[in-house]
Amino acid sequence: MAKKIRIPIKSAADIRKMRVACETASEILQLCAKAVAPGKTTGEIDAYAAELMKERDCKSAFLGYRGFPGYICISRNEEVVHGIGSDKTIIRPGDILKIDVGITKGGWIGDNATTVPAGEIDLETKRLLCATEQSLYEAIDHARNGVLLADLCGSVEAHVKQYDFTVVREFVGHGVGRNLHEEPQVPNFRPHGRSPKLRPGMVLAIEPMVNAGVPDVTILDDGWTVITNDRKYSSHFEHTVLVTEGKPDILTARPREATEELLGISMNG
């Protein structure tokens, strides 16, 4: 018999504190995204994130986590997630950078991610970013009282499949709160078996990881960086989302970068 998972429910006081952490994480993410430019290194972006965290009296939730050496995760092109900033990795025109910022402030976690183009990118890459970001908001719309978690998860793959993109299966979203990873796991595909219903006070880090080619991935020798097996580009967007009695509350709210910029493109052409 499958073990029943216990999903933490946050109190109103918890949520007030968590909201501060999430707003701070969102601010840092947006500033790091704006700093991305050809000629810079991924190490410079990581160092900039460290400065921003110090200024805002918060700490990286990633640095030292299971030995991770960076302040943020910064992953380029075919790197999916968990990339490590390096002064040897120069950002080139046409690159896409996945920036994942997790911070701890006041004992609570804020976790969010976006994918940023470095200069002009080709149409297919724009379609990838647009589809991934929209799949995030499709999932967020399911983060409602009484909805099955499986329906939320399945909505991501259902959205990106129509554009012939694939979802990564080995890495998933998660509950978040005092700890970076809490119950439940939040895959980007419909999981098998019984599914819990979402309830007010649950907080989820929803994070579609979408590949332009095959879904299969490999971890590099550094023990962290995940890359696509066919070396095609991958895109990653994430929000921390609170389930309420009404509509979902995006605690890490920010402008919708990809879809707002790319509303004019043909997603099917």
Side-chain angles (χ1 to χ4, degrees):
M1 185 174 179
K3 182 181 178 182
K4 188 174 181 180
I5 62 172
R6 298 178 63 87
I7 302 174
I9 301 293
K10 277 68 176 179
S11 68
D14 294 339
I15 292 163
R16 283 194 295 271
K17 295 172 185 175
M18 196 166 185
R19 193 179 299 278
V20 173
C22 286
E23 289 173 352
T24 303
S26 177
E27 182 184 13
I28 293 170
L29 177 64
Q30 291 178 71
L31 290 169
C32 287
K34 288 179 181 178
V36 168
K40 288 189 176 181
T41 68
T42 58
E44 287 180 82
I45 306 299
D46 188 75
Y48 179 49
E51 292 175 10
L52 293 171
M53 291 174 192
K54 185 176 181 180
E55 290 171 359
R56 286 155 182 77
D57 193 28
C58 62
K59 294 182 178 180
S60 170
F62 302 160
L63 181 65
Y65 182 79
R66 297 180 181 173
F68 186 75
Y71 284 86
I72 60 173
C73 297
I74 181 163
S75 313
R76 187 175 61 144
N77 299 339
E78 73 274 12
E79 297 172 357
V80 180
V81 286
H82 304 163
I84 302 165
S86 170
D87 291 334
K88 296 180 180 179
T89 304
I90 300 171
I91 300 169
R92 308 289 187 187
D95 284 350
I96 58 170
L97 280 296
K98 281 128 284 182
I99 302 175
D100 190 349
V101 172
I103 62 102
T104 302
K105 188 175 178 66
W108 293 90
I109 303 287
D111 191 8
N112 57 171
T114 189
T115 302
V116 186
E120 187 61 28
I121 56 175
D122 61 46
L123 180 58
E124 182 65 9
T125 305
K126 289 180 179 179
R127 290 177 68 251
L128 174 65
L129 268 59
C130 190
T132 307
E133 187 178 51
Q134 184 57 34
S135 74
L136 170 60
Y137 286 94
E138 295 286 334
I140 289 171
D141 193 51
H142 285 77
R144 297 175 184 268
N145 183 26
V147 172
L148 291 176
L149 177 64
D151 289 339
L152 181 156
C153 298
S155 70
V156 174
E157 186 171 40
H159 181 77
V160 303
K161 276 181 68 176
Q162 63 187 316
Y163 307 115
D164 296 322
F165 299 138
T166 61
V167 298
V168 174
R169 302 180 81 85
E170 288 89 343
F171 298 90
V172 300
H174 48 91
V176 64
R178 286 194 177 275
N179 300 301
L180 180 59
H181 293 116
E182 298 182 350
E183 292 289 1
Q185 291 194 348
V186 186
N188 295 305
F189 55 89
R190 181 177 292 276
H192 297 298
R194 293 181 60 185
S195 176
K197 287 185 178 181
L198 300 178
R199 297 299 183 206
M202 293 181 179
V203 181
L204 308 175
I206 304 171
E207 49 179 323
M209 290 159 265
V210 178
N211 295 348
V214 300
D216 309 286
V217 298
T218 298
I219 300 175
L220 294 182
D221 290 342
D222 63 17
W224 286 102
T225 307
V226 180
I227 64 168
T228 58
N229 279 6
D230 59 8
R231 304 302 191 268
K232 290 188 176 181
Y233 282 10
S234 182
S235 176
H236 178 211
F237 288 82
E238 177 185 22
H239 272 306
T240 297
V241 181
L242 169 68
V243 181
T244 74
E245 294 285 358
K247 66 180 184 179
D249 188 350
I250 303 175
L251 300 181
T252 50
R254 61 177 185 271
R256 293 176 62 161
E257 300 95 338
T259 45
E260 287 300 314
E261 180 182 349
L262 305 173
L263 282 175
I265 73 170
S266 170
M267 287 298 293
N268 296 304

